[in-house]
Amino acid sequence: MWFSRIISSFFGIRKKTDLDKDLNNITLKKIIILFIILNLLFISIVLLITELFISN
């Protein structure tokens, strides 16, 4: 839930005060999970793009 609220805040959907509350409640564990999720997403997008264009 916190992940979607932070992403929504970056896109300007929520108020700045809501983002401040979420960022104040973030822990090291949540930062690590967010980092891993973003890296996996990026790697899978890169692999998908290379698979589409290189495997002809």
Side-chain angles (χ1 to χ4, degrees):
M1 193 69 168
W2 58 271
F3 180 71
S4 63
R5 290 193 310 235
I6 291 175
I7 297 299
S8 298
S9 296
F10 288 136
F11 287 124
I13 298 170
R14 301 182 75 224
K15 297 179 193 172
K16 185 178 189 273
T17 56
D18 295 335
L19 177 62
D20 290 338
K21 281 186 211 175
D22 289 338
L23 291 178
N24 286 337
N25 293 329
I26 201 161
T27 61
L28 182 60
K29 181 180 175 183
K30 290 180 181 178
I31 290 173
I32 292 171
I33 291 171
L34 181 65
F35 179 76
I36 291 171
I37 289 171
L38 290 175
N39 278 320
L40 288 175
L41 182 67
F42 177 74
I43 290 169
S44 57
I45 289 172
V46 169
L47 288 176
L48 178 70
I49 290 172
T50 54
E51 185 69 26
L52 288 174
F53 290 113
I54 293 179
S55 65
N56 285 330

